[in-house]
């Protein structure tokens, strides 16, 4: 696993890196001076990122927010020197997995790393489930709209309309939602061809 340490505090960066390097399963990289966080993520493709908010090359959380692009998205653990509720809420809103207030490097940062990865994995799973639920809801809405139009045009019951769409889906090897979309496109959403 590759860990990218992005910390301008050299003492803490060294302590974090040394602690992580003690684990042979981790490849630990530090951002070279003058390198933007997003450029380092693109270059090194880390599995997880440890970030100190004191980095001078960032404007607030913009660099971390830029990591929300699908190709760059990674679990991010944020280290700050002081507690700030507004910063913490903003950090979680943009996808930070672990928000840690530290005045000195922890004796063992690996639990924080594991927590960030676990929270990131859980967030990704939840987001995937939400996306799937939204897709299913949109498909059901489309099917219901097509059934209503079919019932009106063909003077049928809802069961008859659904059976027609299901049979048509099997005949054309398409999903019922695709058949419903085709029907609506062919007959107009209000029933006019």
């Amino acid at each position: 696993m590759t860990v990218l340490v992005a910390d301008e505090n050299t003492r803490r960066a060294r302590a974090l890196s040394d602690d992580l390097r003690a684990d042979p399963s981790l490849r630990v990289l530090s951002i070279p001076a003058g390198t933007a966080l997003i450029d380092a993520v693109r270059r090194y493709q880390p599995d997880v990122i440890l970030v100190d908010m004191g980095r001078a090359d960032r404007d607030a959380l913009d660099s971390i927010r830029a990591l929300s692009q699908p190709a760059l998205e990674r679990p991010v653990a944020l280290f700050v020197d002081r507690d700030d509720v507004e910063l913490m809420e903003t950090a979680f809103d943009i996808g930070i997995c672990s928000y840690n207030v530290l005045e000195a490097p922890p004796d063992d940062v690996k639990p924080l790393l594991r927590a960030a990865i676990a929270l990131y994995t859980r967030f990704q799973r939840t987001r995937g489930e939400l996306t799937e639920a939204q897709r299913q809801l949109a498909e059901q809405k489309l099917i219901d709209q097509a059934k209503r139009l079919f019932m009106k045009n063909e003077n049928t019951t809802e069961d008859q309309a659904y059976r027609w769409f299901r049979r048509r889906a099997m005949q054309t090897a398409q999903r019922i939602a695709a058949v419903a979309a085709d029907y609506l496109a062919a007959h107009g959403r209000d029933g006019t061809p």
Side-chain angles (χ1 to χ4, degrees):
M1 178 185 302
T2 302
V3 179
L4 180 64
V5 177
D7 194 335
E8 288 288 322
N9 180 326
T10 55
R11 182 177 58 86
R12 184 167 59 208
R14 189 177 315 112
L16 288 172
S17 297
D18 290 347
D19 182 50
L20 291 168
R21 284 188 182 105
D23 184 335
S25 69
L26 300 178
R27 176 176 170 233
V28 182
L29 304 170
S30 296
I31 294 183
T35 304
L37 177 61
I38 195 164
D39 293 335
V41 171
R42 281 189 183 117
R43 180 176 176 190
Y44 299 117
Q45 297 292 308
D47 297 301
V48 65
I49 305 162
L50 303 181
V51 179
D52 168 37
M53 261 319 287
R55 283 183 55 85
D57 65 327
R58 282 192 309 244
D59 180 18
L61 297 169
D62 286 344
S63 290
I64 297 170
R65 185 176 284 116
L67 296 177
S68 64
Q69 301 170 28
L72 299 175
E73 199 168 36
R74 306 283 191 285
V76 178
L78 180 64
F79 295 95
V80 294
D81 292 331
R82 59 185 171 81
D83 192 17
D84 181 333
V85 174
E86 187 177 327
L87 174 64
M88 180 175 58
E89 289 174 0
T90 302
F92 285 130
D93 285 345
I94 65 168
I96 295 294
C97 299
S98 179
Y99 181 92
N100 308 281
V101 180
L102 303 172
E103 292 182 13
D107 291 333
D108 187 2
V109 75
K110 288 187 285 296
L112 299 174
L113 183 69
R114 286 192 299 271
I117 292 169
L119 288 170
Y120 175 79
T121 302
R122 184 175 184 184
F123 173 74
Q124 292 296 91
R125 185 175 54 246
T126 302
R127 185 164 60 180
E129 290 168 357
L130 176 61
T131 300
E132 177 60 17
Q134 290 171 330
R135 183 195 64 76
Q136 289 177 3
L137 188 60
E139 281 187 358
Q140 189 58 51
K141 183 178 175 183
L142 186 70
I143 292 166
D144 290 345
Q145 186 179 6
K147 282 192 312 187
R148 282 192 301 275
L149 184 58
F150 184 88
M151 290 163 47
K152 177 182 168 190
N153 290 346
E154 304 297 324
N155 195 25
T156 64
T157 66
E158 184 175 359
D159 284 342
Q160 291 169 323
Y162 182 74
R163 281 196 302 272
W164 185 88
F165 282 102
R166 188 178 61 203
R167 187 172 46 253
R168 183 83 179 127
M170 287 189 285
Q171 291 168 346
T172 60
Q174 293 181 314
R175 295 173 54 86
I176 294 176
V179 173
D182 291 346
Y183 184 84
L184 289 170
H187 294 88
R189 294 195 179 259
D190 58 357
T192 57

